[in-house]
């Protein structure tokens, strides 16, 4: 098989920009490819190894012949076979190629079971399958659709699943034994940012002031979810105590719309595409996007247990790298515009393409005769920032899920694999931000160095001591 970088080509310059050799960078190459082209060119593990060895050979030739005319003249004069043999006698190319192959993964398990809920938050984890990113890392991913988060949690704890699409706060809760037995569960990467919304029944389209919602019932997907925390925060900022003035009902995302139609709930704080689907089904309208409460907030994550990482470290890294690549690619315009086509089939999200496209691209009907343009309605980001974990824990304390003192930083370090995410991102050639993001929720900035002071600043909810405000 010829070298994909064509170091022996006597007519073209030696180019390291991308794998096809026709672009200045791999990013530019990716942007030029359509989604259909990616399906046709799915890579496998052997191609990765071949690319690595080709690159080493091409770099060695470039080092010997930095001047392009000289390189071309040499190969043209002596021929490819003689030229490569002469170069090999000067530089130990085979040894260099072998050293480069040391980092090539050898997964202990060739087939992995990964659980997910059929929501757009799982986009990177899902798209890594049809685009061949798992196969590139030498594994077959069996994506197993689940209806609710409690089942995902239980199957992860029982080792019925190898890894899962988690709500980002779930592994924190599992580590603390909130709602389940304690187990060492990890957030390896965040999947998505923004992409959630508060949806109200159409009968309330003229009652948009939350101060008037006392006595209403709202659905949330899980107690330890960004949906629960942001809805509670939102209601409290409008003077309602979510534990006294309204009812919160746990409901799986697919059941939220049916309950809204039946009048069992007045609204829900849910994930896409079910917010947009409620508009499509004429069951409700989008009252508030989650990005208007906290722009840039995480929602879901990719995670697994520490025991799985210990038992199958190479398999874990294979999943990790595939999902990181998918996460980065999901933000690229060349991919993003076609994600609705990729995700709509029944084995993935089972939703109309138009519903998905509105959620992903941010141009959407809001259900009350308005077309909105919000390009950052949904985003994707890998980094499991420790400050984000600390904020989540303040809300766990605020609403009584955690009682007593905790060490926010220690728990964040234990659960959110920030160092590992940075290491893998850098190893894959992606840009990594050094600083933790600024967290501002409804105009109030969170100081991660003093979470208890932040917690004590609210008028509604529990204080850092566990006592209710006003008592």
């Amino acid at each position: 098989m010829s070298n994909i970088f064509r170091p022996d080509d006597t007519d073209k310059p030696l180019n390291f920009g991308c794998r096809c050799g026709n672009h200045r960078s791999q990013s530019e190459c990716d942007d030029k490819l359509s989604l259909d082209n990616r399906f046709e060119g799915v890579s496998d593990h052997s191609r990765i190894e071949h690319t690595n060895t080709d690159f080493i050979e091409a770099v060695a030739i470039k080092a010997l012949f930095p001047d392009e005319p000289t390189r071309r003249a040499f190969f043209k004069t002596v021929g490819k076979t003689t030229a490569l043999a002469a170069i090999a006698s000067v530089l130990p190319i085979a040894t260099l190629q072998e050293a480069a192959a040391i980092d090539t993964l050898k997964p202990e398990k060739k087939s992995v079971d990964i659980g997910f809920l059929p929501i757009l938050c799982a986009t990177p984890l899902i798209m890594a399958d049809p685009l061949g990113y798992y196969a590139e890392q030498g594994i077959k991913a069996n994506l197993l659709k689940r209806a609710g988060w409690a089942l995902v949690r239980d199957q992860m704890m029982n080792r019925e699943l190898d890894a899962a699409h988690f709500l980002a706060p779930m592994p924190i809760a599992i580590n603390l034994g909130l709602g389940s037995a304690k187990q060492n569960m990890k957030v390896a990467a965040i999947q998505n940012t923004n992409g959630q919304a508060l949806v109200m029944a159409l009968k309330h389209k003229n009652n948009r002031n939350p101060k008037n919602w006392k006595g209403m019932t709202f659905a949330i997907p899980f107690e330890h979810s960004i949906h629960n925390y942001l809805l509670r925060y939102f209601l409290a900022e409008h003077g309602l105590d979510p534990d006294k003035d309204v009812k919160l009902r746990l409901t799986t995302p697919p059941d939220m719309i049916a309950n809204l139609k039946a009048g069992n709930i007045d609204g829900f704080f849910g994930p896409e595409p079910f917010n947009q689907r409620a508009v499509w089904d004429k069951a409700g309208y989008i009252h508030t996007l989650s990005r208007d409460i906290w722009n840039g907030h995480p929602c879901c994550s990719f995670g697994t247990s520490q025991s799985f990482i210990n038992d199958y470290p190479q398999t874990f890294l294979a999943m990790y790298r595939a999902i990181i690549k998918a996460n980065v690619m999901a933000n690229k315009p060349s991919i993003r515009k076609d994600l609705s086509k990729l995700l709509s089939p029944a084995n993935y999200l089972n939703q109309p393409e138009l519903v998905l496209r509105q959620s992903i691209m941010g141009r959407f009907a809001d259900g009350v005769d308005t077309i909105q343009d919000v390009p950052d309605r949904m985003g994707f980001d890998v980094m499991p920032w420790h400050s984000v974990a600390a904020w989540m824990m303040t809300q766990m304390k605020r609403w009584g899920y955690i009682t007593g003192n905790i060490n926010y930083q220690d728990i964040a370090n234990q659960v959110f694999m920030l160092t590992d995410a940075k290491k893998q991102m850098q190893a894959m050639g992606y840009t990594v931000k050094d600083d933790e993001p600024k967290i501002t929720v409804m105009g109030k900035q969170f100081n991660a160095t003093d979470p208890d002071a932040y917690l004590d600043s609210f008028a509604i909810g529990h204080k850092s001591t566990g006592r209710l405000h006003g008592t």
Side-chain angles (χ1 to χ4, degrees):
M1 187 180 292
S2 62
N3 189 304
I4 61 173
F5 296 100
R6 301 187 296 276
D8 56 315
D9 195 314
T10 59
D11 298 317
K12 294 182 180 180
L14 179 52
N15 181 14
F16 297 107
C18 68
R19 289 180 182 174
C20 77
N22 295 320
H23 305 96
R24 290 172 297 177
S25 67
Q26 187 61 43
S27 176
E28 181 180 324
C29 179
D30 290 335
D31 287 341
K32 295 293 183 182
L33 292 174
S34 69
L35 191 61
D36 289 339
N37 287 339
R38 290 178 185 278
F39 280 118
E40 295 171 0
V42 167
S43 301
D44 58 19
H45 195 53
S46 62
R47 181 175 176 182
I48 294 295
E49 293 180 342
H50 180 63
T51 300
N52 289 340
T53 56
D54 283 358
F55 184 74
I56 293 296
E57 182 180 67
V59 167
I61 293 172
K62 185 69 173 179
L64 283 175
F65 299 101
D67 181 62
E68 274 295 317
T70 303
R71 180 188 65 82
R72 295 184 197 180
F74 177 71
F75 273 92
K76 185 174 290 187
T77 300
V78 304
K80 174 183 176 181
T81 303
T82 303
L84 291 178
I87 292 169
S89 69
V90 178
L91 287 175
I93 292 179
T95 302
L96 293 172
Q97 290 172 332
E98 183 179 351
I102 289 176
D103 191 46
T104 301
L105 297 178
K106 293 179 172 54
E108 301 87 357
K109 290 187 71 172
K110 300 297 184 182
S111 179
V112 291
D113 293 336
I114 305 176
F116 76 98
L117 260 67
I119 58 178
L120 277 170
C121 304
T123 292
L125 185 149
I126 294 172
M127 65 182 272
D129 182 31
L131 296 187
Y133 299 162
Y134 293 116
E136 283 182 353
Q137 301 298 333
I139 57 173
K140 179 183 184 296
N142 306 306
L143 301 185
L144 305 176
K145 190 186 298 187
R146 297 293 179 256
W149 295 110
L151 179 59
V152 169
R153 177 198 61 200
D154 294 345
Q155 291 191 333
M156 279 297 300
M157 294 182 70
N158 294 333
R159 294 290 291 263
E160 296 173 54
L161 294 171
D162 296 315
H165 157 219
F166 277 125
L167 292 161
M170 283 176 65
I172 298 175
I174 294 170
N175 273 267
L176 294 173
L178 305 179
S180 69
K182 287 186 179 183
Q183 195 173 116
N184 194 348
M185 206 68 68
K186 302 294 187 183
V187 170
I190 295 298
Q191 290 280 277
N192 67 299
T193 57
N194 298 340
Q196 321 305 308
L198 172 58
V199 173
M200 297 296 292
L202 286 175
K203 65 182 179 181
H204 296 307
K205 67 180 180 179
N206 295 320
N207 181 17
R208 302 192 192 186
N209 189 342
K211 294 181 179 180
N212 300 326
W213 293 352
K214 193 170 185 177
M216 288 189 180
T217 300
F218 296 90
I220 53 174
F222 199 68
E223 284 185 318
H224 300 296
S225 66
I226 202 70
H227 313 85
N228 184 26
Y229 303 155
L230 290 185
L231 177 58
R232 285 172 172 272
Y233 195 111
F234 181 81
L235 293 172
E237 287 297 295
H238 287 91
L240 297 181
D241 187 327
D243 288 319
K244 297 178 180 177
D245 297 327
V246 300
K247 293 179 180 179
L248 300 183
R249 179 180 296 177
L250 297 183
T251 308
T252 62
D255 291 332
M256 288 179 171
I257 297 173
N259 276 276
L260 198 66
K261 283 183 174 180
N264 298 327
I265 57 176
D266 297 285
F268 65 81
F269 205 111
E272 298 298 346
F274 292 99
N275 307 310
Q276 199 60 51
R277 184 62 190 257
V279 175
W280 174 277
D281 289 347
K282 296 181 173 56
Y285 70 95
I286 296 172
H287 183 281
T288 302
L289 296 177
S290 61
R291 53 93 58 211
D292 294 326
I293 299 174
W294 171 7
N295 194 13
H297 74 82
C299 179
C300 291
S301 64
F302 160 67
T304 188
S305 64
Q306 183 62 53
S307 61
F308 183 88
I309 296 173
N310 293 342
D311 293 344
Y312 306 104
Q314 294 276 291
T315 305
F316 165 69
L317 283 178
M319 289 190 291
Y320 205 6
R321 292 178 182 180
I323 290 170
I324 286 174
K325 180 176 180 179
N327 199 305
V328 173
M329 294 302 296
N331 274 324
K332 288 184 174 289
S334 59
I335 286 287
R336 198 164 206 199
K337 61 185 176 64
D338 290 325
L339 278 177
S340 56
K341 176 182 178 182
L342 176 72
L343 299 169
S344 65
N347 58 321
Y348 294 141
L349 301 191
N350 193 28
Q351 294 287 347
E353 283 186 37
L354 180 57
V355 171
L356 299 178
R357 191 178 307 123
Q358 290 183 75
S359 300
I360 295 168
M361 301 304 293
R363 180 173 173 79
F364 61 96
D366 63 10
V368 282
D369 303 322
T370 303
I371 301 297
Q372 296 194 35
D373 277 297
V374 186
D376 62 351
R377 178 181 181 178
M378 185 163 201
F380 303 94
D381 188 14
V382 171
M383 305 310 295
W385 297 108
H386 290 163
S387 57
V388 166
W391 184 88
M392 292 174 180
M393 284 182 274
T394 65
Q395 302 310 295
M396 291 178 177
K397 289 193 73 172
R398 183 181 182 185
W399 305 116
Y401 299 111
I402 295 175
T403 58
N405 295 324
I406 58 171
N407 189 315
Y408 296 91
Q409 192 59 48
D410 282 356
I411 298 171
N413 289 341
Q414 178 186 345
V415 182
F416 275 41
M417 298 175 63
L418 179 60
T419 300
D420 298 83
K422 286 184 175 181
K423 179 181 178 181
Q424 293 303 318
M425 287 279 286
Q426 290 167 342
M428 296 173 73
Y430 299 127
T431 301
V432 177
K433 296 178 181 177
D434 292 326
D435 299 329
E436 294 269 346
K438 291 183 179 179
I439 297 174
T440 304
V441 185
M442 296 186 74
K444 189 181 186 72
Q445 190 163 338
F446 171 61
N447 180 3
T449 64
D450 196 355
D452 282 338
Y454 175 81
L455 182 56
D456 290 338
S457 69
F458 295 105
I460 297 175
H462 293 263
K463 298 179 182 179
S464 60
T465 59
R467 296 180 62 188
L468 285 168
H469 285 277
T471 63

